[in-house]
Amino acid sequence: MRQARIHHHEPRPRWQLTTPLSALWAPVRRTADQPSGTRGVRRHYAHGAPVLIIAVVAFLALAGGTGMSWLPLLAVGPALAAATSGPWGVLRIGALAVALGAVLGVHGGVPGTEQAIVLSALTAVTLASALASALRRRREQVLAAVRSVAEAAQHAFLKPVPSTVGPFQTAVHYSAAAAEARIGGDLYALVSTPYGVRLIVGDVRGKGLPAVGVAALVLGVFREAAYDEPDLLDVVHRIERSLARNLGPDDFVTAVLAGYPEDGRMELVNCGHAAPLLVHDSGILPVEPVHPAPPLGLRSLSGESPGLQHVTLADGHQMLFYTDGVTEARDHERAFYPLGERLAQHLSEEPSRTLAALHDDLLAHVGGELHDDAAMLLLRKPAGTAPAASTGPARPTGRSNRCASPPVGAAE
């Protein structure tokens, strides 16, 4: 594999207005971050911790010979069990603590009145902990139901990407976050249209079902406009108009749209999103927008319009699109993930293999758990591919005032 020249870039989009944007979709959560065996071992130790605590307290009471001073600590067992076990499990731990408290009280010669007070306190803590455990279980069930609805919705609009689209080899990898808020607004779509291959990769501000709804809206408008509009900028305008009618005042979507209308030329429109990485003969180059545009939904506040940028994409070139969950992933020393450097190390002629290696390396960088969903979409133009056929009407001319930047790429 050739040595690639890395161009480091700032991982945060310049139009980012808040802390790292959303995370979304964890239908592959079970297989993404931790093996099920590891979770089972952790669950086993968590359930055994209350019993261990009760045993340690009993040992200290017997070894110290002053049983009464240690008896109140038996309440730690059922209190801790409320966080790891169900109501019946808490009651069993509490019964064990009360029984040991009675035995230790008799063994230590504790007066009956004092022992009754301690045992009553242990019983009260056990009942309160059982109630807390029942409420926790109920909240978990409600949260699981909400997540299942969100995941089903995301399955409906985040459609699988085929391995070949038009002249490109393609691959998508979605890494599910391990954080509690596992649903958010990352989005992607890749379609073949009469005007060539078109794609979008974006990130909705916020998390939860509202962000999922906005992502679905953006993808629905994109898929329709991508087939209808000859000009890629008109696709962006269609999305912007739809969001202006439906977004809240504080909502926005960072996105990069791309089109391949003719052989060797890629069009890009970047609306506040992370710069794609172009892999060409000279190395890896972040395609920064020449005239940055605000995220979708904020154009009315800034007054700036997006510009069309041309990139040379010859045979053998690749282009990686991604969300900020990749570049903003941190290791234990709080260092960002060096995507350009790692892409050069794992680059291959099969996009799926490249993204699989990047995914494994990303998990190793963060220590096994992602706290924000991370989407990556990779295009590769194999050598010897024929020009993409256009079955739609001819593209309009005379739009130079809307082309915000000259062509960039490996040929320059």
Side-chain angles (χ1 to χ4, degrees):
M1 185 182 300
R2 63 180 182 274
Q3 278 295 113
R5 177 168 53 90
I6 306 301
H7 299 255
H8 294 285
H9 64 288
E10 173 62 36
R12 295 181 181 273
R14 66 187 72 193
W15 280 97
Q16 187 171 356
L17 304 183
T18 62
T19 54
L21 298 177
S22 55
L24 106 93
W25 193 43
V28 294
R29 155 84 178 219
R30 184 171 178 82
T31 58
D33 296 327
Q34 295 179 353
S36 58
T38 302
R39 291 190 298 271
V41 170
R42 290 184 177 180
R43 199 160 47 236
H44 174 76
Y45 282 115
H47 285 217
V51 177
L52 178 62
I53 290 175
I54 291 176
V56 170
V57 173
F59 172 78
L60 292 175
L62 292 174
T66 55
M68 188 60 196
S69 61
W70 293 100
L71 290 186
L73 292 180
L74 293 172
V76 176
L80 180 60
T84 59
S85 305
W88 290 109
V90 174
L91 291 176
R92 286 193 292 268
I93 297 295
L96 175 62
V98 172
L100 276 178
V103 171
L104 292 174
V106 173
H107 180 270
V110 178
T113 303
E114 295 182 10
Q115 185 174 1
I117 293 175
V118 172
L119 296 181
S120 298
L122 288 176
T123 303
V125 170
T126 298
L127 294 177
S129 300
L131 177 60
S133 176
L135 294 176
R136 175 183 58 82
R137 283 287 182 91
R138 175 60 180 168
R139 287 194 297 268
E140 289 177 350
Q141 291 172 357
V142 172
L143 180 59
V146 172
R147 286 173 175 169
S148 66
V149 172
E151 290 173 3
Q154 290 160 5
H155 273 298
F157 68 80
L158 284 178
K159 299 179 180 179
V161 172
S163 59
T164 302
V165 178
F168 296 107
Q169 296 174 316
T170 63
V172 171
H173 205 294
Y174 213 114
S175 302
E180 282 299 319
R182 299 184 307 178
I183 56 177
D186 286 4
L187 58 96
Y188 62 84
L190 178 65
V191 295
S192 180
T193 75
Y195 310 103
V197 175
R198 286 176 170 177
L199 67 89
I200 183 174
V201 174
D203 199 345
V204 179
R205 175 189 178 275
K207 298 179 181 179
L209 288 177
V212 174
V214 174
L217 172 65
V218 172
L219 290 179
V221 177
F222 168 77
R223 289 193 177 103
E224 181 180 0
Y227 283 93
D228 294 342
E229 302 292 346
D231 194 288
L232 186 63
L233 282 174
D234 288 333
V235 177
V236 179
H237 297 330
R238 285 269 293 270
I239 298 174
E240 184 70 41
R241 289 195 298 269
S242 179
L243 291 179
R245 294 191 299 267
N246 295 279
L247 282 189
D250 297 327
D251 296 330
F252 59 87
V253 181
T254 68
V256 57
L257 289 84
Y260 193 73
E262 59 187 54
D263 192 51
R265 182 167 67 94
M266 175 73 78
E267 296 178 342
L268 292 177
V269 180
N270 194 322
C271 299
H273 199 73
L277 296 181
L278 174 64
V279 182
H280 54 79
D281 297 334
S282 300
I284 298 177
L285 174 71
V287 187
E288 299 285 355
V290 177
H291 298 286
L296 298 170
L298 296 181
R299 188 186 304 179
S300 60
L301 300 179
S302 66
E304 299 182 35
S305 297
L308 198 63
Q309 188 171 0
H310 297 96
V311 178
T312 300
L313 196 66
D315 290 352
H317 290 184
Q318 303 187 48
M319 185 167 286
L320 176 65
F321 302 84
Y322 54 93
T323 60
D324 62 358
V326 179
T327 51
E328 292 184 350
R330 297 173 182 262
D331 61 12
H332 64 282
E333 296 180 350
R334 308 300 294 167
F336 289 113
Y337 181 70
L339 178 59
E341 177 184 335
R342 301 301 173 82
L343 176 60
Q345 295 176 5
H346 299 295
L347 195 63
S348 70
E349 295 184 354
E350 296 183 16
S352 59
R353 180 183 300 176
T354 300
L355 291 193
L358 280 176
H359 165 72
D360 293 340
D361 189 67
L362 179 63
L363 293 183
H365 177 81
V366 300
E369 291 187 355
L370 291 173
H371 297 287
D372 193 3
D373 284 5
M376 294 181 287
L377 189 155
L378 181 61
L379 300 180
R380 179 179 183 272
K381 191 170 186 295
T385 55
S390 176
T391 59
R395 294 177 58 82
T397 58
R399 304 291 296 277
S400 59
N401 61 317
R402 298 180 64 181
C403 294
S405 61
V408 298
E412 294 185 315

